[in-house]
Amino acid sequence: MGNRKWFSAALASALLVTGGAGSILATSSSANAAAVKTSAVKEGSTTWTVNGTPVTLSTIDSKGYKLYSLSQVAGELGAKLILGSGGFQLNDSKGLHNVVIQAGSKSYQVDGVAQQFTIAPVDYNGKTYVELTKLVTSLGGELQAEGQTILSFARPEGQFDTLHWSANGSIIANKSDSETAQLFKFRTYPGDYEVFSSNESALDFAVSVDQNWGAFTDETGQLKLINLASGAISTLGTDTSVKTDLVWSQDGKTIYFIQGDKQEKIAQISVETGAVKALLEDKVENKSELRLSTDAKSVVYIVNVTGVAKNDADSTEDSLTVDFSKAGEQLYKLDLATKDAKPVALTTALDNKLYPEILANGGVVYLSADPDGNAANTLKFIAVDGTITNIALDVEPSWSTGVSTGLIVSGTAADGSTSIYSIDASGSKTVLFHTSEDVSEVAVSKDGSKLAVVSDGKVLLIQGGKALQLSK
């Protein structure tokens, strides 16, 4: 029987018990048969943290087992509780689980499947008491005995990646080990989450500056927008050319991107009209990592310079060689405010260049990595005059991003631990989080006060230097 039909039928013939904490459950004559003698039990209480709030739960000790008030626990979890002729029927607040329990019987049902208590529920002084762990988990909750904590809804299990923040403070992450596409939206308390989208193309997207929208392309190259509050997806424009490295303008009216099968162009699209406009068509291929200045007057990007083929006058296959002496990644800057401006090379070294960012002062920061892996990563700053210097850190940087106040940098210390720093415009550093575990991804909230990280595939919220694990 469906949840709605079951609940309607139960209301017609049963006693509805209030969902608030501490409600008293009237018992039927059949339930009274399972009551125990006063001398056989000992009343007590235990404090648990339920959804972040300390709650004192009524208990009894019966035959060496501690049992908890059914009505009180159900109320704290937000579950509906009905007493009918067949026993107690519970429905969690999301309508996902039905549980049927009968006082005096070890057998109970969860979503129509038979289960067994270790000790049968007990009636005592007008209340029914049950095993806490099995009650919580049957209703889809999570219980941690060591920390004396209970969640109304269990945290999702699995491997997660591709983190994004939304404007309401939620964290959106891809469940990478799922058989089908699944984007989860996590609120900032464990167990409070939903499956946000199952669109395969939307597993990664570029987030608008106000964090209200995401932009991505489908398998045809068509640009799509996803509302980060509702999950609704809409089509932007009609252009189906290849688009990569999407970047939003500050005002949310324009999206910039690298265009073409060979990533040879830079273009923009109007969010209001869907009109596409080319900004650079210099035929230089393999552009990536597009970044836009706050005032939208310039962009920075990487060009992956490949080897140059050489041949002799006979042009035979045996004489063909490839010169890799200048192969590598180089940073370029394009002035968008000047008509017909040409890209300007910012670098010449053959190091790998990652996570470029244009700072408020016009300078550019990037992570430099040795392509052969023989030297440690460094964080480099390119001043407006072209001077390149290292940013001193006591960790080896592995990731960085620009924020309104400067930079957020993640790196590995000599002992293998991970530290995440905030670096302001003056170069002052503040440790935001430190852990002995590996951190594979970091995302920063709009105001910079919170971090979302992926550690060992799990999603963690970092605030005030403390970590809250949102998945398991």
Side-chain angles (χ1 to χ4, degrees):
M1 182 179 293
N3 291 345
R4 183 172 297 177
K5 292 181 179 179
W6 167 81
F7 191 65
S8 299
L11 279 176
S13 61
L15 172 65
L16 177 65
V17 181
T18 60
S23 59
I24 303 299
L25 182 65
T27 58
S28 68
S29 58
S30 60
N32 281 330
V36 297
K37 296 179 180 179
T38 302
S39 59
V41 302
K42 180 180 179 183
E43 292 182 277
S45 63
T46 303
T47 299
W48 287 75
T49 299
V50 183
N51 297 325
T53 302
V55 176
T56 300
L57 300 175
S58 299
T59 66
I60 62 169
D61 290 327
S62 177
K63 300 179 181 179
Y65 291 94
K66 181 173 287 187
L67 304 180
Y68 287 75
S69 166
L70 173 61
S71 60
Q72 189 183 9
V73 174
E76 293 295 342
L77 296 179
K80 293 182 176 70
L81 177 61
I82 297 171
L83 175 58
S85 58
F88 300 98
Q89 300 188 63
L90 297 96
N91 204 22
D92 71 278
S93 60
K94 290 184 178 180
L96 300 176
H97 301 289
N98 294 328
V99 181
V100 180
I101 295 172
Q102 191 166 26
S105 173
K106 289 185 178 181
S107 297
Y108 68 104
Q109 288 191 341
V110 179
D111 302 328
V113 179
Q115 306 284 347
Q116 288 283 316
F117 285 118
T118 305
I119 184 172
V122 170
D123 279 345
Y124 177 75
N125 280 354
K127 292 183 181 180
T128 299
Y129 292 81
V130 299
E131 289 182 44
L132 182 63
T133 300
K134 291 186 177 181
L135 176 61
V136 170
T137 56
S138 294
L139 288 168
E142 181 180 337
L143 181 147
Q144 296 174 304
E146 290 184 3
Q148 296 276 108
T149 61
I150 297 172
L151 302 175
S152 289
F153 298 98
R155 296 168 295 175
E157 298 185 51
Q159 296 290 306
F160 289 86
D161 58 25
T162 320
L163 297 172
H164 296 294
W165 284 89
S166 64
N168 67 356
S170 298
I171 300 166
I172 299 172
N174 170 44
K175 191 174 186 298
S176 56
D177 59 353
S178 175
E179 293 183 1
T180 59
Q182 283 190 320
L183 278 177
F184 279 65
K185 177 184 278 188
F186 295 89
R187 275 75 179 188
T188 53
Y189 192 79
D192 190 1
Y193 70 93
E194 63 178 307
V195 177
F196 177 63
S197 177
S198 298
N199 187 303
E200 189 75 38
S201 299
L203 295 183
D204 194 11
F205 47 82
V207 181
S208 61
V209 177
D210 63 10
Q211 296 185 333
N212 284 314
W213 296 91
F216 64 94
T217 58
D218 65 15
E219 65 279 1
T220 71
Q222 175 65 59
L223 192 61
K224 302 282 188 176
L225 300 182
I226 181 169
N227 186 309
L228 299 186
S230 67
I233 294 174
S234 57
T235 299
L236 178 59
T238 58
D239 184 88
T240 56
S241 62
V242 174
K243 304 173 188 68
T244 64
D245 300 87
L246 308 177
V247 182
W248 289 77
S249 62
Q250 287 285 322
D251 59 12
K253 294 181 179 180
T254 309
I255 298 173
Y256 295 76
F257 55 92
I258 293 171
Q259 185 182 32
D261 294 340
K262 298 181 180 180
Q263 291 78 56
E264 70 275 15
K265 304 174 186 178
I266 296 177
Q268 67 180 43
I269 185 170
S270 168
V271 175
E272 296 175 336
T273 68
V276 174
K277 177 183 177 181
L279 301 175
L280 177 65
E281 297 181 274
D282 61 356
K283 298 182 180 180
V284 175
E285 300 174 1
N286 303 315
K287 295 180 175 72
S288 66
E289 298 291 332
L290 184 67
R291 299 292 186 270
L292 177 71
S293 62
T294 302
D295 58 11
K297 291 183 178 180
S298 63
V299 292
V300 167
Y301 58 94
I302 289 174
V303 173
N304 186 17
V305 181
T306 58
V308 177
K310 294 183 177 181
N311 214 328
D312 61 15
D314 295 331
S315 297
T316 62
E317 183 177 347
D318 292 339
S319 65
L320 177 65
T321 60
V322 180
D323 180 9
F324 291 101
S325 62
K326 295 184 179 180
E329 296 176 337
Q330 301 302 342
L331 275 168
Y332 283 81
K333 185 175 184 178
L334 176 64
D335 182 357
L336 298 179
T338 302
K339 185 178 180 180
D340 298 325
K342 303 298 182 184
V344 176
L346 299 180
T347 59
T348 57
L350 300 182
D351 55 336
N352 290 335
K353 299 167 180 69
L354 307 169
Y355 311 114
E357 293 289 344
I358 305 176
L359 302 183
N361 61 9
V364 175
V365 171
Y366 72 95
L367 191 152
S368 171
D370 181 0
D372 297 321
N374 296 324
N377 298 342
T378 57
L379 201 61
K380 294 185 179 292
F381 172 69
I382 307 174
V384 176
D385 64 4
T387 304
I388 301 178
T389 56
N390 289 347
I391 297 176
L393 296 170
D394 56 2
V395 296
E396 181 181 359
S398 57
W399 171 89
S400 70
T401 190
V403 293
S404 59
T405 56
L407 284 173
I408 304 292
V409 180
S410 175
T412 306
D415 63 0
S417 62
T418 298
S419 290
I420 302 176
Y421 291 91
S422 171
I423 305 176
D424 64 20
S426 68
S428 177
K429 304 176 186 66
T430 302
V431 177
L432 303 177
F433 182 60
H434 181 81
T435 177
S436 59
E437 304 294 331
D438 290 334
V439 172
S440 57
E441 290 191 37
V442 184
V444 186
S445 65
K446 183 180 179 181
D447 62 5
S449 66
K450 297 183 284 292
L451 303 173
V453 306
V454 172
S455 178
D456 192 26
K458 301 176 181 63
V459 179
L460 280 70
L461 168 67
I462 311 299
Q463 187 173 17
K466 297 181 179 179
L468 197 61
Q469 188 175 319
L470 302 181
S471 69
K472 61 179 183 178

